[in-house]
Amino acid sequence: MKPITILIADDEAEIADLVELHLQKEKYQTIKVLNGQAALHAVHTQAIDLAILDIMMPGMDGYELTRKIRETHHLPIIFLSAKTSDMDKITGLITGADDYMTKPFNPMELVARVNSQLRRSLQFSQPLPVQRTVLEKGGLVIAPDQHSVTLYGKPLELTRKEFDILYLLASHSKQVFSAESIFAQVWGEAYYESGNTVMVHIRTLRKKLGEDRDKNKFIKTIWGVGYTFND
């Protein structure tokens, strides 16, 4: 079996060394770089299964690096950053990260998140079930085989989680899903945190759908219960 290779990009050598130590204990193969340019080169020239990226790096920051990676690759990306505000986290998720951890951090929690992302990545790489058909909803076309979404003919750039949330809601119109249920079905595991992971993804998804201009056109909040899709 091919070893799983994880890219670590952080300009703080001590942090990169610590992350590498704990990942190698889990028998992961690691590639460690200290700037964004070197990280992008590694992604383009080697088989990377997951990337752990700092945001504040010289030359090319983590946001720009993620955008460039997402042009050609769908590997899981975890931000590990000293930037701790909600807006920093939202920006990271909008840019294309799959998860966001703040420094200082618990190395064992990082390993757990790496394991979780790799499990989901493996599931995502499997052939889609036959029943995942193209959905057309009021100008919105969701095509799971192409993993594409268009709104009135205009392509929308959605992250993997945003796409899965949208497809889940749209394929079960009028059914109300709690945040816990969405997390369990999209992330593939029990809801393990009291944070706002689902809410952040719903917020960014609504923005891309133009919900700031036409509130609740597609995704409706049922206060105190969860979310549903307006058919």
Side-chain angles (χ1 to χ4, degrees), residues 143-155:
D145 286 343
Q146 292 75 37
H147 206 260
S148 66
V149 178
T150 59
L151 181 59
Y152 301 115
K154 180 181 178 181

Side-chain angles (χ1 to χ4, degrees), residues 15-113:
I15 296 292
D17 289 345
L18 177 63
V19 172
E20 181 179 51
L21 174 65
H22 283 271
L23 291 176
Q24 289 182 347
K25 286 182 180 178
E26 296 292 310
K27 308 303 181 184
Y28 291 128
Q29 182 172 294
T30 58
I31 297 173
K32 185 174 55 179
V33 298
L34 301 178
N35 61 72
Q37 203 67 48
L40 187 61
H41 178 75
V43 169
H44 286 327
T45 59
Q46 303 189 58
I48 307 296
D49 296 291
L50 180 144
I52 300 172
L53 310 179
D54 187 21
I55 292 177
M56 296 180 289
M57 293 186 290
M60 180 189 300
D61 67 20
Y63 295 142
E64 182 182 359
L65 172 59
T66 297
R67 282 191 288 268
K68 288 184 178 296
I69 291 174
R70 285 288 178 247
E71 291 174 1
T72 54
H73 293 76
H74 296 287
L75 66 147
I77 295 174
I78 299 176
F79 275 137
L80 181 60
S81 174
K83 297 171 74 69
T84 61
S85 74
D86 285 343
M87 186 52 63
D88 292 324
K89 298 174 184 178
I90 291 170
T91 300
L93 294 171
I94 292 174
T95 301
D98 297 284
D99 201 353
Y100 193 113
M101 282 190 67
T102 58
K103 301 174 183 176
F105 65 100
N106 182 326
M108 296 309 297
E109 180 183 355
L110 176 60
V111 169
R113 291 186 183 225

